[in-house]
Amino acid sequence: MRVNILGNGVWGTALSKVLADNNHEVSFWNKRSQIEALDCVVIAIPAQAIRGVFKNYGRNLKRGVVVNSAKGIEKGSQKLPFQIVKELLGEEIEYFTLIGPSFAQEVSRKMPTLVNLGGYNGKMQEICDFFETDYFRVRATKSVEALELAGALKNVYAIACGVADGLGFETNTRAKLITIAYEEFRKLATDLKYKIDEQARPGILGDLILTCSSIESRNFSFGKLLTRFSVKDSIEKIDSTIEGYNTAFSILYFSEKSPMPLGEFVLRIIEENSPRNVASKFTEFVKRI
């Protein structure tokens, strides 16, 4: 099959290697040109860029197969990738989302990995096979909405775990934060009436654990930096997209639908932008929740 990947960063490049190992013909979208409607288009650009790219360059994609791998919530609209794409291309678009615990560099090195492919239509198994290799396993699920919500929020929660690490808190505290994060997400997903089936564990629980537990995570690293540097300086030191930072500004919107004390705490840390006060605020918060 012929695949057009939107985004040639580390994740888009890692996916291109997976697809090439399955003997697919892979090309990267040439920016500022209309996206070519090949057999499959893979979204590997930041969530905040999806609308602009599809609105300006996606007129050929009305009947294509779109596989999203972006994780985030659009500022302003508070929409997830599946909502943005379907708004622009129509409800009939064959849409799938590929989400799971998968650091790009490890995928490129062929470390054994398990992710989810979320979708509804009859092509589900075909698209799973399309990506699956002996080192990159893909588990099908119908929990599209829950997967994308989890994929966005886990980046916010990873910032909290990075803050804990930067302040010298250890694994007990991190486990507490991950547990609370999972409970917070589940309550929100339930209140939004997003279905979660058992097959969605890699993309929901696995991805949360991975992102909240490793310095390889940009969001975890960002949280750690916030204990010593300003938001601006921390962003500059990461020098790459920090989806959790962008997603944090959607927390108040979602907390109106379901309580999100951990998410709101991360937002306060970002908005107050005071490394000097992070330690006392975090210690008080983590003991209280």
Side-chain angles (χ1 to χ4, degrees), residues 99 145-155 185 203-205 207:
I99 287 178
E145 299 90 347
L147 273 182
E148 293 200 355
L149 182 65
L153 293 181
K154 58 99 181 184
N155 289 324
F185 156 76
I204 293 175
L205 186 56
D207 207 8

Side-chain angles (χ1 to χ4, degrees), residues 66-233:
V66 174
V67 178
N68 170 63
S69 69
K71 301 173 182 178
I73 298 169
E74 186 180 46
K75 288 182 179 178
S77 74
Q78 319 301 342
K79 290 186 176 182
L80 292 158
F82 80 92
Q83 294 168 315
I84 302 168
V85 172
K86 291 192 174 186
E87 176 190 331
L88 296 174
L89 300 184
E91 289 291 329
E92 300 305 312
I93 190 74
E94 293 184 292
Y95 181 91
F96 301 88
T97 194
L98 186 74
I99 287 178
S102 49
F103 287 139
Q105 292 180 348
E106 293 188 22
V107 172
S108 292
R109 300 202 310 272
K110 300 186 179 182
M111 296 290 103
T113 301
L114 174 65
V115 301
N116 275 129
L117 182 81
Y120 294 113
N121 68 43
K123 282 190 175 180
M124 174 77 81
Q125 193 56 54
E126 178 184 342
I127 304 300
C128 281
D129 294 342
F130 182 68
F131 284 93
E132 187 162 86
T133 69
D134 60 352
Y135 63 90
F136 193 78
R137 296 296 188 184
V138 185
R139 183 179 293 177
T141 175
K142 292 183 178 180
S143 303
V144 178
E145 299 90 347
L147 273 182
E148 293 200 355
L149 182 65
L153 293 181
K154 58 99 181 184
N155 289 324
V156 177
Y157 298 136
I159 294 173
C161 290
V163 169
D165 191 75
L167 294 174
F169 290 89
E170 298 183 9
T171 50
N172 285 2
T173 306
R174 186 183 306 161
K176 178 179 182 178
L177 291 172
I178 291 172
T179 301
I180 291 168
Y182 181 69
E183 292 170 346
E184 192 168 288
F185 156 76
R186 287 289 303 229
K187 177 68 166 55
L188 175 60
T190 299
D191 289 348
L192 291 172
K193 296 181 170 53
Y194 287 176
K195 294 181 180 179
I196 303 175
D197 62 46
E198 291 185 359
Q199 298 304 313
R201 286 175 184 159
I204 293 175
L205 186 56
D207 207 8
L208 176 67
I209 293 169
L210 179 76
T211 311
C212 290
S213 302
S214 175
I215 198 69
E216 286 187 60
S217 162
R218 294 190 297 269
N219 298 281
F220 183 93
S221 298
F222 176 67
K224 191 168 183 174
L225 287 168
L226 289 178
T227 64
R228 296 190 295 138
F229 302 99
S230 68
V231 170
K232 180 177 181 293
D233 288 345

Side-chain angles (χ1 to χ4, degrees), residues 24 49 117 148 235 250:
H24 299 301
L117 182 81
E148 293 200 355
I235 291 172
S250 296

